[in-house]
Structure formats: structure tokens, C-alpha cells
Amino acid sequence: MDNVLQLVGIGRVYGNGIVANRDINIEVRRGEIHAIVGENGAGKSTLMEIIYGMEKPDSGQMFVYGKEVNFSSSMDAIKMNIGMVHQHFMLVNSLTVGENLILNTPKNTIINKRKIAQLTQELCEKYGFNLDGNAVVKNLSVGNQQQLEILKALYRGAQILILDEPTAVLTPQETEKLFEQLKNLKEKGHTILFISHKLNEIVGISDRISILRQGTIVDTFETSTVDVSQLSNLIVGREFSEKIEKPEIERGDVVLRVDGLSYANSPVKKLLDDVSFTVSKGEIVGLCGVEGNGQRELIQAITGAIKNYSGTIELCGASVKGISRKKLRERGVAHVPEDRIAEGLSKDSSIADNLISTLYINGKFIKHKFFLDRKTIKEFSDEQIAKYEIKANDSNDIVGMLSGGNMQKVVVAREFEDDPVFAVIDQPTRGVDIGASKIIRDKIVELRCNGCAVLLNSADLSELLNISDRVLVFYSGKIVADFENLTEIDEETLGRYMLGLDDMFRDEKDGQE
Amino acid sequence: MDDFFNIIFSNEFLVSILRLSTPILFAALGALISNKAGVVNIGLEGIMLFAALFGVLGCSWTGNLFAGGLIGVLIGAFVSALLAFSTLYLKSDTILTGVVINLVGAGGTIFFLEVFTGDKNVSTSIVSEVFPTLEIEAIKDVPFIGGLLSGHNVLTWVAIALAILLWFVVNKTHFGIKLKAVGENPVAASSLGIPVKNYRFIAIVLSGVLASVGGIFLSMGYVSFFASNMTAGRGFIALAAEAMAMGNPLFTLLSSLLFGFMSALAIAFGSSGFMAIFNEIFEMMPYVATIVALIVYAVIAKQKNKMKEVKNGKSLGKGIQNDVRRRPSGIRRR
Amino acid sequence: MGKNNFKIMLTNMRAKLQAKQASKSISKRVESIRIQTELLRTLVAVVIAFAVALIIILCVSKQPMEAFKYLVIGPLMKPRYFNQVLVQMVPLALTGLALAIMLKAGQFNLATEGSFILGGVLAAFFAIKVALPMGIHPILAIIFGIIGGAFICVVPAILKLSFGISEMVVSLMMNYIALRIGNTIIRGALLDESAGILTTEQFHETAQMHTIPVGELEIQVALIIMVIVVVGFYVYLSKTRSGYALQLSGLNGKFLAFSGIGASGLILASQIMGGAVAGGAGAMYTLSNLERYDLVNTFPNKGFDGMIVTILARNNPLLVPIAAFFLAYVREGAEIMSRHTDVSVEIMSIIQGVIIIFVAGQALFSKMQNKRIIKEVANG
């Protein structure tokens, strides 16, 4: 009877057929910090939303304090003393801290500024926070906004507190402070559900850990029984996919040269720290690391989404700093973006329109200067549909109607068909079914064999090791390992580097300092 | 020229500023309240017309000034409830629906005017009453003070009181902050259990009620008749006044007065024998002023952001894309 | 016997139809469900609107059946009436198209009203102040109007691009500014002092746009131009590279940035085009239908009417003339009714309002549509 929260066989399938959660069983004990870990897309957020009443499960039962519940909105969850701190804060920016705190919990109709400031003060003292009740939310730091969110939940009587990747936006100092407060709350008898994919944090703070893989809980255990590297193996759940045929070829000239690249988004948080490497013709360089260790920022810097970095990025000997997307494409850069729906596609347009969107600028598929050559476009599109085995009836089908895998094939087909000199490929097979993944991987290798330099970022370790020629491991914004001979690495070694326990270049760095 | 100065330095001129500001202020406060809830009510013009017509009709039917005014306001509230229902429940686009309400208002009021009075232009064939004007004999003729305090319609005072009241409601009451939450971050509001749709419905209807009072002021404030298209774009001016005041009810009072001043000036020019062309230019000023104000706000906001960045250290991340902290814009596009 | 044959034939036909349906791709079938729902919604809207009109007519008229008859079939009674439908259709279609261009690019610019007004006034200016030979005069006047119209719509676009100000609020202000600029021009340069009302001098004969007799109809040159513009815009959107990019920008701006297509040029271009079309509409309306331009203090609503057309046409350029025709038909019907009976023409504004509320209501029948789509997807 010490379980405050119990889920039995919970499942959730989205309208587009994606299985977010299946048959989830989990027990959360009173007064523990229970971490839920898993890769992005493993279904963590959906699970939390189900517990907080924002999503309705399609199957299964949920018990709070031993009582079966059926939440129809988050209001019901709040009534059962469940509170949640979302990754994207639920704050009204123009209101003050105190006003956000008491929003929709009226004791009387008129707001007494002094009283709510006092209330904020009292709550802060009680839980060891530090917030000014009269400060306007939009002027707060991200860390303080998060504190307000936690306080908001506590004020509404939350005994079970869900934190969705709380440290993703925090500086190390803020993180430390947060952890202190969480431990403090635990001592006061609160139960905390903590979502993260930062393993060292999880090991540092949690009492028990549940691992979520492909929508389901694969294991729950006491934190003290595992160490970090075991944990990383459990999360990745290494299942080797089919071996990819990869002929050995000569490495050519250097195409991309990154030298001394640093980038920070706040005074204390360096997201990229003196990163240097090269990618050559006919080479696939894989980026490896736990999410949030600088891989994303590196790609953003290369593709021009981040401009104010220090250091240099050169493509075929010329800097790419500050040049437009169009110029970048003209210089032969292909990009398969991480978020294919938001960035990589126009969902409401046809396959054909999507396939030519980056190609027509360079004068392809144009006749008489201004007109689209619909005939060639159709031929080209049909060809691509056949080549990449895109499951569609014809090139006029709307992309939004396709499955995730087929959408990704459209993106890949478009990006790869322009004979790129250099390709940035970000999470090419995330959320993509096995069959489509195989086709996409084959095409990446084919691209490399045709002499393209490829930078591949993937959370799928087996994919990385299978198709890369070289793997760079990132930890905390630095490259901590550079593996050339991939057949000799085992997952244990890789895991140690990913978690920052080992660093190939540590001596070198120490020597410099 | 002397004529002109005689006019603008008279108490009558002050009174006329307030008279011309009143309907704009009512409607602008209406625009404000729906904007707070995140809905742009473009249909104010049409709502005002309906209220203006049915206020006069109601007055002639019941023979009672207040009953007539009430009928006018109720009809206005009904029209705005239609707008709310259509955008919130039928999910039609708010802007498009607002424009349609204006088009229906322009034609529909003429239709009903003819049905009930037999005339397509004015309702002078039926008898209607006028809301009283408060003359304070003691100070009536004192320069400036007299114009400031005496000779105003009772509804003018109501409008000013409402501006202050609305400021209080928006900033100092739970209803007000909930309304702001609904407008600014509806997801957050609903995560706290605030019924977003209901709040928006209430806000739209309230905005309709306020605009309706502005409407009946036009037909029952100083004149006792309805004339076709008598709002003459005041619903749109109100949107401008609200935009200029950046959603602050007290500033809305000031911006409405500014717009009233411009109109009064235009009239003064017209009646003092100046070329009518100046009249047009003065009529245009409020709109130009609004656009200029919006530009100034935008530039100031940009500057502020830059300052912030400099404060945080330039090399340390101008590029951060933190959508958590970005304020959603009040106006939604399709 | 014959009955049986008929039955068999019917079953055969149905089977064939089903086979044809099944052979279509899922996305095509889903698309056709969507179209069916839209059609149903439009039909229901029209029926309800006319029912409302009938009820109102029954309440207010002494000759309700007569009135309703004129409303519904009035325009078909005489060629002259039908001609009038075509005349009314031209500005409606053009302002509808102007708005559609901007909406396609995701821009909510409501300044078409102002563009229409300024386009008309500038054309009037040209028609009065300049003496030119017959063919060239209206052409230059229209170009003048087009420039004026484009100016009004481009201001919100520029302010949005350089300061991030909502184009909608600015466009509403621009309408009034256009109205006042127009009046300033009229008062300053064009007023006919001898006329009893505030109106301009008469246009030069040479500036008038003419009509072409076709059978019993008098087809306006403006109508022909309108058809050309509609077709041109359709071709632009579906066949040209710029039109293709314009549509993408309205659908997913982020993707456009990703693809390396510059978005700000397209935002500007769409609003210049929209304003130009609306300004041209105002100019042609003036030169085709007026001999003098009256000073007004309220909007003629010609630009706002375009919004109704755009909604009815679902933003599809090819449907714009059809929607405009329908609207013009209703208006002409109301006009004829008001001339022959005791019901006034403004009833059409109520009919329009009811139609639009229902057509624009996305939620209507959406449940039914979703059910059908899910069924279809599950089957196929």
C-alpha cells in the first residue's frame, strides 16, 4: 500500500497510427524520486501526459492512492494532488509571480498584491525557494521560472510531482540547486517523477529508475544496483540491425573542416567547447553522445541556424559563417533535418512539390525561365518514388497522408538527388519503421560511395556503428573520443565515453592548461 | 483664422471633444476586453450599428429611454454572441466573421430601418428620446473648467468610469488575470482548469455590450434618430485606439480622447471656413498616428531586446531560440 | 420486365462506380470526401440562408411570394438583368482574387478595400485631368489605379517585414488612409463646383471602358480582363516557379527557410500583387460604370465583399469567378425584388451573412467527415 501511483497495462495509440505507449506497468512508491529514462521518442512525454490527465489512455488502468482513476482533464489530476512541471513552462508572462501562483485558485475576487507577495514569501520559505512575488514573469531567468512552476504545483497541493526534463534548460548551478530542492521535497514526503535522458543526473538523484524503450517499460530497479554504463546499455538496448553492405573506398580530400568551434547560450553554459574535426570525401562521420551534449548545436552551426559562434567552419576551404541557406545549398550542402515535419516538408503539398522544393532554385525543372516544367517534374518524381520505394499511388499524393517512414524517404530522396558535396543527416531513422530505415541507410552509404562527405547524427548506436567510417563521441560540448576502427569498439567502452567517464584527449587538454 | 481660434478655445470645443470621444472609448474598451482574451473583435462596427438602430426602435416601441437603450444593448450583445458562437464553436475564422458582421450590420440595419420606419436613411419618422446632459450651472461658464466638467452627456461619464473600472478589473481582480491568462497562454490557462472557451465567450459578449453602448450613444446621446451608416467607421477607429494604447484601459481613455480631439479639430476647421481639404487630412491623422505609434513601439521593443542581450554578454548567445519565453502575439493569423 | 432490367442496370452501374472508387488512391478518396463535405456545407448554408430570407420576407412583405420569386429567378427574367449580374460580378471576383493571392502566401492583409478606393480615385483623376486618345487612355488610367492599389497593400507588408507589426491592424488603418487620400485628391483637384453634390467633373469620353454586344448581352471589357486575370493567376500559382514558392510560403514558412527560398520577397510580392489587382478592380469599376466619382465618407465595401467571395471559393482562384457570379446573382435578385416589390435590397446582406457564417464554420459536418475518412482509411 505504499504505492501512490500505479499504472497497469496503459497504452496509447495516436490517430496517425503511431504507438506512443504500449502495455505500461509501473509502480511509484510514496516519498521516492523515481526517474523515467529513455531516448527521445521512447514515449516518456506521452506517459507523463497520461498521468497528468492531458492524454487519455486507450487501454489499461491507473490507480492513485490505490483508487482507480479516470482523468478527463488535468483538473482531475490536480484534484488528486498530482502536479506537473512541463518542459515548456505553463506561465503567463505578463503577470507577476504571485499572480501566476494563485491563478484560478480564488479566495476572493479582488487581488491583494501585498497578500499574494506574502503568500509567495511563505511558500518560498516553506520549501526553500527564492522568488519575489511582485516580479513580472517575463523578466525572470529560466531557472526561476521553473521554480515558480514547481511552487505553483505545490501550492495546488501536489504530493506527486512530475518533472518533464527539468534540467534541459538549466545551467549546472541551477541544476544543482534544483536537485537540492527536490531532495528537500522528498524529505517532506512528496513523491517525484523525474524524466531525463541525462544519466549522470539520474544516478545522482533518483531512488529508483524505470527504463522506457519503444513505448514500453522494459525494466525498473533500485538506482543503487546499477552503475552508469550498465544503465546506458539498458537504455539503448542494443539490437543490431541488419548488416549494411559497405565497400571500402579511399578517403578523398577534406570537405568540411571545423576548427576551434565554441558556442554558448548563457554566461555559464558552454554548449560547444573548442570542437575541431574534419569530414572528407567518401567518408561518413558519425556523431555520438547522449542528447544535449552539443551535437544539435554543432549541426545548427554548420547549417547556419546558429551564427554567433567562435572558431571556424569551412566547406571546401571557404568559411560558411553567415551565409544564407540558399548559398549553402548552392555550394552543395544537403540537410536531412531532425524535425522532418516542421522543417523538412510542406505537409499539405504533394510529393512532387516537396521533391523539387530545394532543387528548382538552381534552375532545374524550369522551362522558359519562369515556368515549372511539370512534365519533367512528374517523371522525376515517379522515378524517385520508385527508387526510394515510397509507398504512394502517384506523385500528386499529399505528403501529410503518408506514414512517417515514407515522409522521411521523400526528404531523403530530395536531399540526396542533387549530387551533394556534403550532407548533414540528423536522426534519419527516428520513428521510422525497419523497412524504410534499411532503404534510408543504404542510400546514405550509396551517397558516400559516390564521393559525398557525410556527417551523421543518430541516437541509434547500432546504426551509427554500422554505417559510419568514423565516430566522434560528444560529452558536454567537447569531443571526448574519435574512433576510426569501429569493429573494435564495444558498447561498454562507448558508454563510458558518452557518460564522460573517459576522455581520449584528457591528457592532451590537461597538458595545455 | 480668428474664428478658428475662437472655436477651439471655447468650452463648447472641449465638450465636443468629449462628445466625439465617447463612442470611440466605449468601443475601444470593448476591443480591449476581447483582445485580453486573445480574440480580435473586428465586428465592433456592425455591432454598434445594430445597437444604435434598435436603441432608437426600442425607445419608440416602449416609450421609455432606458428600456430602449437596453433593447439596443441586448441586440448588440446578441450579435456578438453570434460572433462568439461562430468562432468558438463552429470554428470559423474570427477576422472573417467580424468582417461579415460589419457587412451585415451595414446592410441589415438599413433593411430593418426601412421595415420599421419606411425610410432607408433616417429614423426621424418615429419618436425617440435622448440621454440627458449634465449641466452644472455654477461652473458652466468658467473657462476650461466649465468645458471640462459641465455639459457632458451622462453616458460620457459612464464611459470614463468604465475605463477606470476596466483597468481595475483587468489588473486587480481574479477575473482579470484569468482573462489575461486565456489570451496570452491558453494552454497554460486550461492546464490550470480555466475554461478557455467560456472565458472567450464572455469576453466577446462583453466587448459587444460595450460597443453597443457606444452605438446607442450615437443615436440617443445628442440626436434622437438613427441614420444609415451613422457609425462611420468608429468601430475601426476603436481598434486603432486600443492598439495605440497597448491594451491599457487608462491609455485607451487617452487615445480615444486624442482621436476625439482630431475629429473635433476637423469639424472646427470645417465650420470656420477653411478649405475642406484640411478636414480630410485631419480625419486621416488618427490612422497615421496609430501606425506611427505601432512603429515606435516595435522599435522600442527591439531596442530593449538588444539591451538585454548586451547585458547578458554579447558573445554568449544572441542566437538562443527559447520559444518558452517568447510571448505569443495577440493576433492570430490563419 | 422493364423494371427488372432497370434494376440490373442500376446494380451494374453501382458496382462499376464502386470499383472505380476502390481503384482510386486513398488520398484521392479522402480528398473527395473533403470536397463533398465542403459542397454539402455550402449547399446547406445556401438553403438555410434562403429559408431565413423567406421567413423575413413573409414577415415584412405584403406580396411575399412575388418577392421571393424575383429574388430567386429575377436575374433570369430579362437579358438586361442578367447583364447586370455580370457587371456586378467583375469587381467582386477581382477583389476576391486579390485577397486570395495574399491569403495563399499566408498574409492577412485587409487593405483591399483601400486599394479599391484609391485605384478608383486615381483612375478618375487620370480620366479627368489627362487627355489621351481612346485606346490608350483607359489603359494608362488603370495602370495608375494599379499603382495606387499596390501602394496601399504594400505598406502593411513593409511594416511587417521591417518591424514585425501585424499586417492586419495596419491594413485596417490603411483603408481609412486610402479613403482620406482619395477624398483629398477629389477635393483638391477634381471637384465639380457646379454640381449640386460633392462629386468630380465628368470623365473624358476617351477614358470610358466600353462594352461588346454579344447577342442580347453587353459584355464589359472589364469582364474579359477579369477572366484573363483569373486564368493568369491560376497559371501563376500552379505552373510558375514563383507561384509555387508563394504557396509553399503560406503553408510552411519554416520549410521555406530550410529550403533556401527567400520568404520576405514572396511576402512582399504577394501583397503587391493583391493590392495591384484590387486597385485595378477599382479603376476598372470606375471607368466602366461611372461618369463621375462621388465623394464618400464611408466605405463602399467593395473590397470587403471580396472576402465573402474568397471564403465561398475556398481560396481557390478558379472558384473565385463562380463564387462572385453567385453573389452577384443574389445581389441582382435582391435588386430586382426591391424594384418590383416592397422588400428592400439590403436583405441580401442578411443572406450573405448567414451563408458565410455556415460556410466558414469549419466545425460543421467535420465529425461526419472525420468518421468517413477514418472508415475509408480503415477499408483501404
Side-chain angles (χ1 to χ4, degrees), chain B residues 6-257:
Chain B
N6 281 341
I7 292 175
I8 65 164
F9 286 120
S10 66
N11 276 349
E12 284 74 28
F13 185 69
L14 270 178
V15 172
S16 76
I17 290 176
L18 278 155
R19 174 170 59 83
L20 290 162
S21 304
T22 303
I24 297 171
L25 178 56
F26 273 118
L29 292 175
L32 183 140
I33 202 160
S34 69
N35 262 2
K36 285 279 174 231
V39 182
V40 182
N41 187 350
I42 254 185
L44 293 171
E45 177 88 2
I47 293 168
M48 286 173 92
L49 273 172
F50 271 114
L53 170 65
F54 280 90
V56 169
L57 291 175
C59 191
S60 103
W61 293 333
T62 59
N64 182 307
L65 172 69
F66 289 99
L70 188 67
I71 288 172
V73 172
L74 283 179
I75 293 289
F78 173 73
V79 174
S80 51
L82 276 183
L83 171 74
F85 178 76
S86 163
T87 68
L88 297 176
Y89 296 97
L90 299 185
K91 299 218 162 65
S92 62
D93 188 275
T94 317
I95 308 295
L96 300 183
T97 319
V99 170
V100 169
I101 296 253
N102 290 338
L103 293 176
V104 175
T109 49
I110 296 174
F111 180 80
F112 287 114
L113 180 66
E114 201 201 6
V115 167
F116 292 113
T117 69
D119 191 308
K120 277 179 110 164
N121 293 313
V122 286
S123 71
T124 37
S125 62
I126 58 169
V127 182
S128 178
E129 293 175 45
V130 173
F131 279 95
T133 297
L134 301 177
E135 303 275 358
I136 306 170
E137 287 301 326
I139 56 160
K140 200 172 120 187
D141 297 321
V142 183
F144 191 68
I145 307 274
L148 205 62
L149 296 175
S150 173
H152 302 307
N153 194 283
V154 60
L155 287 179
T156 301
W157 291 113
V158 171
I160 294 168
L162 273 175
I164 296 164
L165 179 73
L166 213 58
W167 178 84
F168 183 80
V169 169
V170 166
N171 292 307
K172 299 287 169 193
T173 68
H174 281 275
F175 177 77
I177 63 168
K178 279 193 246 179
L179 209 57
K180 281 199 245 179
V182 164
E184 227 180 273
N185 193 344
V187 184
S190 77
S191 84
L192 295 173
I194 302 172
V196 174
K197 268 190 190 173
N198 293 1
Y199 270 78
R200 290 202 162 147
F201 198 98
I202 292 169
I204 296 173
V205 172
L206 277 180
S207 103
V209 167
L210 286 169
S212 299
V213 183
I216 62 169
F217 177 85
L218 289 174
S219 62
M220 306 168 81
Y222 284 85
V223 298
S224 61
F225 56 84
F226 173 85
S228 65
N229 279 322
M230 79 187 305
T231 48
R234 285 182 180 83
F236 290 109
I237 300 180
L239 290 172
E242 199 273 345
M244 203 172 180
M246 296 305 259
N248 181 325
L250 298 181
F251 291 168
T252 305
L253 173 59
L254 294 180
S255 62
S256 302
L257 283 171

Side-chain angles (χ1 to χ4, degrees), chain B residues 283-297:
Chain B
E283 292 277 359
M284 185 162 79
M285 279 302 132
Y287 307 103
V288 177
T290 305
I291 292 180
V292 171
L294 288 175
I295 294 173
V296 170
Y297 292 138

